[in-house]
Amino acid sequence: MKVWTALLGAVLIQGCLLLKIQNNGYEDLVVAIHKDVPENLALLTNIQTIIREASPYLYRATRKRAYFRDVVILIPETWAENNTWGVSQKTFKQADVRIDSPHPLHGDTPYTFQPGQCREPGRYVHYTPNYILDHEVDRVRNWGDPSRVFVHEFAHLRYGVFDEYGSPPEYPHWYIDGDVIRPTGCTSEINGRFLKDFEPCDPRQHTNGCVFMADKDVNSNASIMYMPHLDSIHDFCETNAADPGLRHNNLARNEQNRRCSGQGTWNIIRDHEDFRENNLPVERDDVTPRFQLVYDKKETREGVPTCGRRVVLLLDLSGSMRQNSRYFKLVQFADKFVKDVLPLGSDVGVVTFESTPSILIEMTYLSTDEIKASLTARLPNDEDNYIGGTGIGQGLLKAVELLSSEGNTPEGGRIVLVTDGSENEEPNVATVLPDIVKASVVVHSVALSRAADAILAHLSAATGGLYSYYSEEENSTALDSAAARLRSDVSLCDETETIELFRDGTALSSSMPYYRGSVQIDSTVGNDTFFTFTLPPNTDITVNVSDPAGVTYDRSSAEYSTDNVFNIVRLRFPFAMPGRWIFTVHSRSVSGSDSESVTVVVRSLPMVNRSPYEIETWLNTMTVNVNNSFPVVYTYVHTGYSPIINAFVIVTVDRSPQPSVTLTLQDDGQVVDTRANDGVYSAVFLGFTRSQRYSMQTSVSSIENQTVVMTSGNSGSEAYSIFQNTSRPVRMEPAEAFTRTASPGALDVTGYDHDVDMFAPNDISDLGVVSSDSEAFTVTLNWTAPGDDLDQGTADRYELRVGSSLKTLSENFSTAQLIEEEDLYNSSLTPSPAGSEQRVVINVPRDWPYSAYAFGVIAIDDANLTSRVSNLQSVTFKYIRVQGEPEDTTPPGRITDLKLLNCDPVSETFTLSWTAPGDDEYNGTVSRYEMLVGESIFDMKTNYSNRSLVTRDEIINGSILPLPAGKEQRMAVSFSRNGSREIFVFAVQSYDKVNLPSELSNFVRVNMTEHTCSIALKVVEEEEEEEEEEEEALSWIGLAGGLAAAGVIVLVGIIMFVAIRWKIIRQKHVT
């Protein structure tokens, strides 16, 4: 069976790009303080203390494999400068750890933004100043030692493991295992109690807020992802560990088991690339980290703050660039990158390469828009300049050389590589890559055709860069997005990061020379808004834009500008009013069968003091072999830290030369979407046509009366709250109408075979118990239907099995009892389409010899590819104990005073009473009663077939509620006399909560005729005495009769003996 796991390929992550490990020590762990956090130097002291104490804890937890060696703390420029602090070009958004205002869903609780799959790293850890300063949060009491919390969150961030505790409603605080309630956790070695508001509570009552509280004196060593606040906890849980205190519990309903298929956290960590081959256990006496405090100060040059990085454009001038006018698209890309993406205050240079490289433009400081224009005017736009081979490796070395000019270091520099072909000159990329990595530069690569070298994705992944692909499809906007997605990386000032509102491409033709479109500009943006139209060379195309008030802007307007060299039209509005803007493009040059490709991009800066609607979109990998993993695309829609939910999110995949396909991303917590309603929308891409490159574009829009901003609420993946009292009210507010666009990048796919079904149904992870009926012996289960290929299509069939326990079923699923169609009641196991609810009602075996029924299900497609076993569920019709509760072995006491209070022959009703016994002997309250009826005491005691159970229909009012021990209990019953029946004998038996029965009560006998009801009753002792006397008399009579018969036989024998003897004597005498 091939199972799907989103394994790490070339992973696109934020923050962790800077973090690395060498000789067991993590270096460049970046902690950044947001600019709006008020200055407080105690923050610097406290965060150092936390990480300093976390380092030896991490060292022990990783079993001597890792510790924190070098930590960088980035101080915002809004704080007063200290001349002892260094400077850095690191940014808040790149940081591994953020210190910022409280999150609307997490408050002051530390959490890791971890939207990915198992083994995929998180994006950042979020702390608040209140937590770091321990200001009015009582952090040790609520979350435990902050250094342990730091290691817990770092495990999320670096290793891609998940919480092992419950996080309702998706992951409850407890689960049922057989007939025992167990707390959701890692090991079963942690004892404790269920409490609500510090008072004992019963989870069997489903009391809201009833949570498990561990005892303080536990001796278990695991797990850090469960309860790191406990003094004995120093390890991660491990699958099949010899030590029970470390042994992972794969049955608990927690996020770690769901996302990592039941594997222990230590198994995931030990297999991480940090430890797979290097950084083996080593003895170290000192694991104290070094701290570097750096100030986010922007140097001012030529009157402009340095809001940009040092960047080198590395452009391919090989002969193949003349095909399909690639050279023109290249310089259009470079022009838009310099003018529209690079902020003022950037250093930029240009290196070109073909067989050999050369520096075309030395490093130039962009202090004005005029300097930008003069620089792009020198770009190689002459087709005749494009000759020779493709020497990418040489070009990279030349770009590093340019970054190192004027006494600078290349560290932190960016190279933007654009190429269309395979390298054919030495040294190649693989040869020079170690030098590029050593220089600490980031290489962003753009593949300008399907023929571009396959090394590009690996090059970008190895250096922490982004990877884009332009397929040359006539309506592709991939080159626009390739430039735009670099904006957040090359910008060092937040105020220079524009937001892309709209991007589209079309092909004008003689039959359709017009393109008319619109874009919604919401009130959170509108500052310095650009409409950019990229046109083909040598064409006559007009453009105009109309604002919501109906004012039209064209080439005669001051807002309008045309670059006649690169054929790019821009309209710039210092302030764009909210509403719907309309644009029109008209070609007067297209003719015949020709077409002219046009792209439109609208971008804007946020309004002052407004938190704009934003999106972040990414792939979990740049390269994927679909034999063992699958690509996942994510989009985070938010304003500040508030998630935006119920938006419409699609990703268009360019599959050229085949038609594009559209994915709809979901935020429903199913399949690859980690959590519902967290603003992160996700989907798996399986629409491959062959092993090749694919390019993706994301579009987000609001849905009228549906899209909302969550301003308060709850979310999973936050630090364990000891008292679990962090529930927040859910508050939402409507979102304005808005649109946003971006690109998650490109994907290189290998291993795909169109003729083979390669993808099994996705795992069922939400198998649930809807209800159970102990009288009908039915159990209703439901789950979300998987597809034929993961979550697409319809599975072929299910295997639903029942076992004696969760553990047994987990270990022996394939041999467990199969639920067949004939075992179902008014339901079917026929699979529904993916995403539908699947519901079945099971007639479970009544003669089941175990305490519970454990259920699990797998899905199978038409190629017999199977999913993994679902999460398991347990149902019992017996009393449910809470873990740690002693087993009940004491039955209820015997009822000795059953009596008849009233008898009515007309209505044929009987009212009886007795003194209620208890759950244990005569203490407590019994769980239920059973009343038995027969025709004689003798038969009631000796012949079970001649006594019957009084049914619910025969009990007046349908049931009887047991009263506490010592109270008078009454029951009224009514049933037919069945014609001539006159004698009714009653007895009662009680049962406790674990179904232990009492002895039968005394008997009550009632004589009933058609008109009278004689209360001829005898308590059991009298009846027993009478029966014993009767039986004794019968026994004596029988004995006497037997003796008499024996005497007769003996007498007859004597007579016969005498007669025979006399005959013999007489004969002798005669003779």
Side-chain angles (χ1 to χ4, degrees), residues 795-854:
D796 184 68
R797 62 191 186 279
Y798 295 117
E799 280 188 9
L800 176 61
R801 295 183 180 271
V802 59
S804 59
S805 70
L806 295 179
K807 186 175 187 297
T808 301
L809 187 61
S810 173
E811 295 174 350
N812 305 282
F813 181 82
S814 62
T815 59
Q817 182 171 325
L818 185 67
I819 300 295
E820 306 281 4
E821 287 286 344
E822 54 264 29
D823 299 319
L824 304 182
Y825 175 75
N826 285 344
S827 55
S828 173
L829 280 170
T830 301
S832 301
S836 306
E837 183 196 21
Q838 196 86 44
R839 181 176 292 217
V840 294
V841 181
I842 307 166
N843 292 309
V844 296
R846 291 177 177 265
D847 56 351
W848 194 246
Y850 309 104
S851 63
Y853 304 86

Side-chain angles (χ1 to χ4, degrees), residues 354-366:
E354 19 89 18
S355 297
T356 58
S358 63
I359 296 175
L360 178 65
I361 302 174
E362 296 286 349
M363 299 301 295
T364 303
Y365 188 67
L366 305 179

Side-chain angles (χ1 to χ4, degrees), residues 117-394:
Q117 311 306 303
C118 184
R119 304 176 188 269
E120 291 181 17
R123 294 176 73 80
Y124 58 80
V125 180
H126 184 167
Y127 286 97
T128 68
N130 288 339
Y131 180 90
I132 299 297
L133 297 171
D134 198 12
H135 177 64
E136 297 182 351
V137 295
D138 203 354
R139 69 184 181 194
V140 172
R141 183 173 184 269
N142 278 295
W143 299 285
D145 186 334
S147 65
R148 292 174 171 229
V149 173
F150 192 90
V151 173
H152 173 97
E153 297 303 326
F154 182 80
H156 283 299
L157 177 76
R158 185 66 176 180
Y159 309 125
V161 294
F162 294 88
D163 293 326
E164 293 167 334
Y165 41 81
S167 181
E170 192 167 10
Y171 306 105
H173 290 303
W174 52 268
Y175 67 102
I176 298 177
D177 182 6
D179 58 355
V180 179
I181 286 179
R182 303 191 187 279
T184 301
C186 175
T187 72
S188 57
E189 299 298 305
I190 296 179
N191 296 320
R193 299 170 295 162
F194 283 91
L195 301 176
K196 179 181 180 182
D197 298 330
F198 308 106
E199 296 293 332
C201 61
D202 191 344
R204 287 166 293 214
Q205 306 303 318
H206 298 277
T207 305
N208 186 33
C210 186
V211 298
F212 180 75
M213 297 285 288
D215 295 336
K216 292 183 178 180
D217 57 350
V218 298
N219 295 317
S220 177
N221 293 330
S223 168
I224 291 171
M225 302 311 292
Y226 180 32
M227 291 186 173
H229 67 279
L230 298 175
D231 291 341
S232 65
I233 304 297
H234 295 91
D235 294 282
F236 295 99
C237 267
E238 180 179 2
T239 302
N240 298 324
D243 181 357
L246 297 178
R247 192 174 302 146
H248 176 67
N249 175 15
N250 68 329
L251 303 177
R253 292 181 60 192
N254 56 38
E255 193 168 13
Q256 172 65 21
N257 280 332
R258 176 176 180 179
R259 295 297 167 191
C260 296
S261 304
Q263 296 183 74
T265 50
W266 176 244
N267 302 80
I268 303 298
I269 294 170
R270 185 180 54 200
D271 193 44
H272 191 271
E273 59 183 356
D274 286 351
F275 310 125
R276 201 173 299 149
E277 297 178 359
N278 302 310
N279 304 298
L280 300 177
V282 62
E283 293 290 340
R284 288 190 179 274
D285 296 329
D286 185 7
V287 292
T288 305
R290 298 187 295 261
F291 294 92
Q292 180 185 7
L293 304 184
V294 297
Y295 189 53
D296 189 20
K297 179 182 180 180
K298 305 299 186 295
E299 178 188 2
T300 299
R301 293 169 54 191
E302 301 177 22
V304 176
T306 53
C307 281
R309 298 186 184 275
R310 292 171 56 80
V311 180
V312 170
L313 277 166
L314 182 56
L315 308 179
D316 186 350
L317 264 63
S318 64
S320 59
M321 291 293 293
R322 302 170 73 162
Q323 299 177 27
N324 299 327
S325 299
R326 292 173 190 163
Y327 76 95
F328 192 74
K329 296 180 177 66
L330 172 72
V331 292
Q332 282 184 322
F333 168 86
D335 179 78
K336 288 183 286 189
F337 177 71
V338 171
K339 292 180 179 177
D340 302 339
V341 174
L342 285 178
L344 293 177
S346 302
D347 264 310
V348 63
V350 180
V351 170
T352 61
F353 68 92
E354 19 89 18
S355 297
T356 58
S358 63
I359 296 175
L360 178 65
I361 302 174
E362 296 286 349
M363 299 301 295
T364 303
Y365 188 67
L366 305 179
S367 59
T368 66
D369 288 335
E370 289 72 22
I371 292 177
K372 285 186 175 185
S374 64
L375 187 146
T376 60
R378 298 170 59 190
L379 292 171
N381 62 345
D382 187 345
E383 183 177 1
D384 294 336
N385 292 330
Y386 291 80
I387 56 175
T390 306
I392 302 175
Q394 295 182 60

Side-chain angles (χ1 to χ4, degrees), residues 2 752-761 788-790 861-865:
K2 179 167 69 72
Y752 178 67
D753 187 340
H754 182 271
D755 297 324
V756 176
D757 187 343
M758 305 185 70
F759 312 119
D788 179 84
D789 296 334
L790 293 184
D861 70 9
D862 52 8
N864 282 326
L865 298 177

Side-chain angles (χ1 to χ4, degrees), residues 448-452 469-473 656-657 690 692-693:
L448 194 62
S449 77
R450 292 196 299 271
Y469 164 54
Y470 172 64
S471 69
E472 301 183 287
E473 280 293 297
S656 178
R690 60 183 180 180
Q692 64 172 44
R693 283 190 175 98

Side-chain angles (χ1 to χ4, degrees), residues 23 65 117 123 244 251 312 526 568 577 648 660 808 863 940:
N23 298 324
R65 287 170 168 81
Q117 311 306 303
R123 294 176 73 80
L251 303 177
V312 170
I568 299 173
M577 68 176 65
F648 181 60
S660 297
T808 301
M940 287 277 283

Side-chain angles (χ1 to χ4, degrees), residues 91 123 187 201 260 278 295 424 468 503 603 675 683 762 1047:
T91 66
R123 294 176 73 80
T187 72
C201 61
C260 296
N278 302 310
Y295 189 53
N424 50 28
S468 301
R503 176 165 32 88
R603 56 188 175 86
R675 293 171 200 88
N762 65 267

